[in-house]
């Protein structure tokens, strides 16, 4: 498709609900006893993959268009699916479900699209096997389809994680909740903690001390009312657009600001961007964020901030093309195993539009500011690459053609409409 144009962006939008919390609301709702209601569920393809997967496992889930209602079955009430379950594009769904299904007394096969079927699963399968799980990939590989066979019982684990990954951590926590005894999981770096927070919300017990997580199974969870805040990873596109487009001011309503997710706000502040917080709700960990056009300076992004902004790095790379100086992103090798290799995809696609950006083994080096020009680019089937390229296209008067634009529906189905609304100075509320 031909990407949208704007001279500036102005207005107020409510970005879509948080993807990580939406997935987990279905999972915890299914595994709890009693009813869970979810308001502001993310109606994106990835979260529907989770919803449909749990329906296939016999969990009644109703949707009245506003609220999702889940009739929890407890850890012992899931039923075998009639056939292999299609997980689509969603890494979070497949990895967390591996941990959930590892403790179940029946066999399940999970498969995905071409992208998901190429993503590494040993990071979850190897520690699950240490817990006694019987889980394997397709034809002796680590790749999906993944088959999780029934296991007599899971043992607790004491595990030092070799990668910084909330998906791996969460899969192990779900397995540990079903094991008999106390598991200890030590993170490489602190990653998003929604699983831990939601265990507490659903009446369970889990402790975190710096990077060490301790959880004792088996536990019983109780259904809750979940209200999902907006996704800072979706807000990131407009935080960037507002900062780099001239004469812009965007208000983003009800954005989740859990501190394990706010690395992008730290980076924007360090670059010199103008971001104001209002209506902060500490209980809900959310706030309205207002961004204005700013003059930006280059920064170095490395170390323990990386998991706090891992999904934002493609759009941060675009931000850096408009900052003064050399921005260095390192320690981000995890980008290579996302929906695409995001180091290569970001560098190659932005180079097509005139950016000065070089891929490295574990990140990117970007020199700025650089004017961008038109061209033909591709999302490569990766939602976050597609949205980043739409924001890049706002920086040139020339035409930018985006292939595989439909990928944005994974996390932000109305993304292009919201860009158009802000280009006209409007609101999406
Ligand atoms: C997620 C964890 C991250 C992130 C993904 C969502 C989650 O993946 O990239 O979009 O909800 O747990 P990793 O755990 O692989 O870093």
């Amino acid at each position: 498709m031909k990407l949208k144009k704007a001279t500036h962006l102005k207005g107020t939008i409510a970005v879509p609900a948080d993807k990580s919390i939406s997935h987990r609301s279905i999972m915890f709702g299914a595994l709890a006893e009693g009813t869970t209601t979810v308001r502001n569920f993310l109606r994106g393809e990835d979260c529907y993959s989770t919803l449909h997967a749990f329906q296939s496992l016999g969990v009644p889930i109703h949707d009245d268009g506003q609220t999702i209602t889940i009739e929890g079955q407890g850890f012992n009430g899931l039923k075998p699916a009639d056939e292999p379950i299609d997980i689509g594009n969603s890494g979070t769904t497949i990895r967390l479900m591996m941990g959930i299904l590892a403790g179940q007394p029946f066999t399940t096969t999970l498969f995905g699209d071409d992208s998901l079927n190429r993503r590494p699963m040993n990071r979850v399968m190897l520690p699950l096997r240490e817990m006694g799980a019987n889980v394997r990939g397709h034809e002796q590989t680590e790749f999906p389809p993944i088959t999780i066979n029934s296991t007599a019982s899971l043992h607790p684990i004491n595990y030092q994680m070799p990668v910084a990954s909330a998906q791996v951590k969460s899969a192990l926590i779900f397995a540990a909740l079903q094991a008999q005894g106390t598991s200890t999981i030590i993170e490489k770096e602190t990653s998003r903690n929604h699983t831990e927070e939601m265990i507490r919300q659903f009446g369970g017990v889990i402790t975190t001390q710096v990077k060490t997580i301790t959880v004792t199974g088996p536990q019983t969870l109780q259904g809750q009312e979940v209200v999902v805040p907006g996704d800072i990873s979706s807000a990131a596109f407009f935080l960037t657009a507002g900062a780099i487009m001239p004469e812009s001011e965007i208000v983003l309503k009800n954005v989740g600001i859990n501190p394990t997710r706010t690395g992008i706000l730290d980076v924007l502040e360090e670059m010199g961007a103008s971001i104001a917080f209002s209506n902060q709700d500490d209980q809900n960990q959310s706030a309205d964020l207002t961004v204005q056009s700013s003059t930006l300076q280059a920064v170095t992004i490395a170390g323990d901030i990386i998991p706090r902004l891992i999904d934002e790095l493609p759009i941060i790379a675009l931000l850096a093309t408009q900052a003064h100086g050399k921005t260095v992103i390192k320690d981000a090798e995890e980008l290579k195993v996302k929906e695409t290799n995001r180091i290569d995809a970001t560098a190659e696609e932005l180079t097509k539009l005139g950016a000065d950006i070089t891929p490295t083994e574990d990140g990117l080096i970007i020199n700025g500011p650089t004017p961008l020009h038109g061209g033909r680019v591709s999302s490569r089937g990766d939602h976050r690459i597609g949205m980043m390229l739409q924001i890049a296209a706002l920086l040139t008067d020339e035409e930018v053609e985006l292939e595989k634009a439909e990928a944005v529906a994974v996390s932000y189905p109305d993304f292009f409409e919201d860009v158009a609304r802000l280009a006209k100075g409007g609101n999406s509320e």
Side-chain angles (χ1 to χ4, degrees):
M1 74 178 258
K2 241 186 235 163
L3 290 177
K4 310 225 171 309
K5 294 285 149 205
T7 49
H8 55 267
L9 297 181
K10 270 193 197 302
T12 300
I13 56 167
V15 293
D18 189 276
K19 185 154 80 69
S20 293
I21 299 175
S22 294
H23 282 303
R24 287 162 173 81
S25 68
I26 300 287
M27 294 174 182
F28 281 109
L31 297 171
E33 318 230 304
T35 303
T36 288
T37 54
V38 187
R39 280 195 289 133
N40 197 32
F41 178 74
L42 172 59
R43 292 168 184 285
E45 287 170 4
D46 266 14
C47 294
Y48 280 122
S49 290
T50 297
L51 191 154
H52 294 143
F54 280 88
Q55 285 177 325
S56 311
L57 293 168
V59 181
I61 305 179
H62 317 285
D63 180 3
D64 68 4
Q66 285 277 320
T67 304
I68 308 277
T69 305
I70 306 152
E71 293 176 32
Q73 302 297 299
F75 276 102
N76 299 323
L78 299 182
K79 309 246 168 18
D82 295 335
E83 48 188 37
I85 303 176
D86 184 355
I87 303 298
N89 191 247
S90 180
T92 305
T93 310
I94 198 165
R95 294 203 178 107
L96 273 56
M97 285 190 74
M98 285 162 69
I100 292 169
L101 293 166
Q104 297 295 313
F106 52 80
T107 297
T108 311
T109 297
L110 308 174
F111 68 97
D113 66 9
D114 290 347
S115 157
L116 190 64
N117 288 346
R118 283 195 300 269
R119 295 183 67 188
M121 297 297 153
N122 264 347
R123 51 183 54 206
V124 181
M125 279 198 292
L126 298 180
L128 284 180
R129 282 189 198 132
E130 276 185 45
M131 299 180 80
N134 182 349
V135 50
R136 60 187 159 76
H138 182 58
E139 292 179 349
Q140 327 292 330
T141 70
E142 65 167 307
F143 302 109
I146 301 288
T147 298
I148 306 111
N149 290 300
S150 70
T151 318
S153 67
L154 292 177
H155 343 291
I157 192 171
N158 189 337
Y159 191 64
Q160 167 80 55
M161 288 177 52
V163 285
S165 162
Q167 293 177 355
V168 175
K169 169 177 69 173
S170 301
L172 299 182
I173 292 173
F174 275 121
L177 285 170
Q178 302 172 77
Q180 192 80 44
T182 298
S183 293
T184 305
I185 300 156
I186 304 159
E187 290 201 81
K188 188 173 174 208
E189 299 288 359
T190 302
S191 63
R192 66 191 67 194
N193 65 358
H194 304 299
T195 302
E196 298 90 306
E197 294 208 330
M198 290 179 83
I199 286 178
R200 295 183 194 113
Q201 182 185 359
F202 279 73
V205 178
I206 186 162
T207 59
T208 306
Q209 272 191 319
V210 197
K211 292 180 190 164
T212 302
I213 295 154
T214 310
V215 57
T216 302
Q219 293 195 25
T220 308
L221 303 174
Q222 298 303 327
Q224 297 295 316
E225 289 177 17
V226 179
V227 183
V228 186
D231 198 327
I232 193 165
S233 299
S234 299
F237 299 99
F238 294 112
L239 291 169
T240 298
I244 61 182
M245 299 273 296
E247 288 166 47
S248 295
E249 179 170 311
I250 306 172
V251 181
L252 300 160
K253 302 287 282 181
N254 183 35
V255 179
I257 50 166
N258 172 315
T260 61
R261 298 285 300 281
T262 50
I264 181 153
L265 298 179
D266 298 357
V267 166
L268 281 161
E269 192 191 343
E270 198 186 337
M271 286 180 136
S274 160
I275 311 271
F277 284 59
S278 55
N279 292 329
Q280 192 157 335
D281 177 342
D282 291 333
Q283 171 84 19
N284 228 3
Q285 290 190 321
S286 65
D288 298 347
L289 303 179
T290 303
V291 58
Q292 287 177 331
S293 321
S294 312
T295 304
L296 303 172
Q297 300 304 324
V299 287
T300 295
I301 304 169
D304 59 7
I305 197 171
I306 295 291
R308 294 179 55 234
L309 46 63
I310 187 74
D311 289 341
E312 289 64 80
L313 285 169
I315 191 70
I316 288 173
L318 174 66
L319 186 67
T321 68
Q322 304 308 307
H324 293 260
K326 177 171 154 179
T327 292
V328 179
I329 299 171
K330 50 187 185 187
D331 303 324
E333 52 282 286
E334 276 296 300
L335 288 179
K336 293 183 188 164
V337 292
K338 296 295 178 189
E339 286 83 333
T340 51
N341 176 333
R342 286 185 177 160
I343 293 182
D344 290 352
T346 302
E348 289 166 17
E349 298 301 327
L350 279 178
T351 298
K352 290 180 191 166
L353 300 180
D356 178 350
I357 177 166
T358 310
T360 64
E361 257 315 293
D362 65 348
L364 294 157
I365 297 173
I366 306 119
N367 289 301
T370 321
L372 299 186
H373 55 65
R376 194 180 178 84
V377 290
S378 174
S379 77
R380 306 183 179 200
D382 184 330
H383 54 133
R384 299 200 197 281
I385 300 295
M387 290 188 273
M388 179 274 286
L389 291 166
Q390 164 63 82
I391 303 302
L394 299 175
L395 297 173
T396 166
D397 297 337
E398 295 173 20
E399 197 173 295
V400 181
E401 180 82 26
L402 177 67
E403 288 166 20
K404 301 194 179 179
E406 66 286 352
V408 307
V410 157
S411 62
Y412 200 156
D414 294 335
F415 176 71
F416 296 113
E417 287 77 2
D418 278 353
V419 172
R421 227 171 260 137
L422 291 170
K424 288 194 204 120
N427 295 327
S428 78
E429 287 182 285

